[in-house]
Amino acid sequence: MRLPAVATVLLLSTTGCVKEISSEDRLDRDTQYATAKDTPDAAALAKVNCEDTAEGLNQARNVNRPETDRVMSYIDLYTSLIKRTATFEDAMTRNPDLHYTEGSQQLVAAKETCIQQTADVKVEFETYVRELVEVPTVQEIKGGNAVTVARLDFNTLRQAIETLDLDDKEALLGRVSNAEKRVSPAKAEEEPAQPSGGGRKRGK
């Protein structure tokens, strides 16, 4: 039996009516969808690991390299570890099922390795940076006179302090600025001095 046109319209209006969602609800829904879509799955996370730090640490620890380069190696390694750790933490927070999928134990173990490696590198990195802040300059003999020169590029040292984001960051930055003022003007634009070698001694 065919329904009258008016009855058909009323029926469709009644059965097809859905609650109109607000623009905020729609934004939340779309954001959650985009977040879930961008979250790495188990296969992608399995490719993330923090066990490949040996080369970066060797470069950072190499006393034969310029200290500016050593600091940059620490910055690069530490920043990379932070990002990898955040990848695990964000993915597992947004997708709790990753804790229960096949191979989840390996993912959890990899995450813990990243956390531990990040903490270990931070301790070593911070120790080195504090040493540089404590003794940021050296004395170099030039023309029979001792001049004060920087051990490394001060902007790189500032970048390291910012990267570590320590509680006393502002105090450390202040000490770097004070040290910069003590550097001999004639040497300020030249390459930082190496911490070892004849005719040089460290100075505060």
Side-chain angles (χ1 to χ4, degrees), residues 164-182:
L164 285 166
D165 197 22
L166 303 168
D167 291 339
D168 59 344
K169 176 178 72 175
E170 295 304 323
L172 295 174
L173 291 172
R175 295 185 65 177
V176 173
S177 296
N178 290 335
E180 193 170 33
K181 296 174 183 177
R182 297 196 302 270

Side-chain angles (χ1 to χ4, degrees), residues 56-204:
L57 280 174
N58 286 338
Q59 292 181 351
R61 292 168 176 169
N62 187 349
V63 297
N64 294 317
R65 298 179 69 214
E67 298 200 277
T68 297
D69 294 345
R70 292 181 62 193
V71 171
M72 282 305 307
S73 291
Y74 273 118
I75 291 174
D76 292 342
L77 177 58
Y78 181 61
T79 301
S80 175
L81 286 171
I82 288 178
K83 289 180 180 179
R84 282 179 269 179
T85 301
T87 297
F88 277 110
E89 292 179 337
D90 291 347
M92 291 182 169
T93 297
R94 294 173 181 174
N95 185 5
D97 290 343
L98 289 172
H99 288 89
Y100 310 105
T101 58
E102 182 179 355
S104 62
Q105 291 182 339
Q106 287 83 353
L107 294 180
V108 172
K111 173 188 171 184
E112 293 302 319
T113 296
C114 281
I115 292 173
Q116 187 60 53
Q117 289 279 46
T118 303
D120 291 344
V121 169
K122 181 178 181 179
V123 170
E124 188 172 320
F125 182 19
E126 179 182 345
T127 299
Y128 184 43
V129 167
R130 288 189 181 279
E131 175 199 334
L132 293 170
V133 172
E134 185 68 25
V135 187
T137 62
V138 295
Q139 294 293 310
E140 188 176 78
I141 303 302
K142 185 175 182 181
N145 297 317
V147 294
T148 301
V149 297
R151 285 178 65 182
L152 76 163
D153 176 63
F154 285 134
N155 286 331
T156 301
L157 184 53
R158 290 189 181 95
Q159 183 182 349
I161 294 170
E162 293 285 357
T163 300
L164 285 166
D165 197 22
L166 303 168
D167 291 339
D168 59 344
K169 176 178 72 175
E170 295 304 323
L172 295 174
L173 291 172
R175 295 185 65 177
V176 173
S177 296
N178 290 335
E180 193 170 33
K181 296 174 183 177
R182 297 196 302 270
V183 172
S184 301
K187 299 290 291 182
E189 297 180 358
E190 296 183 13
E191 289 294 324
Q194 296 303 309
S196 60
R200 292 173 181 164
K201 61 180 179 178
R202 294 187 181 184
K204 295 184 180 181

Side-chain angles (χ1 to χ4, degrees), residues 18-34:
V18 294
K19 181 181 178 181
E20 180 68 22
I21 65 173
S22 68
S23 58
E24 290 184 359
D25 290 339
R26 184 179 294 107
L27 178 61
D28 289 341
R29 181 192 64 188
D30 293 343
T31 300
Q32 290 173 359
Y33 173 76

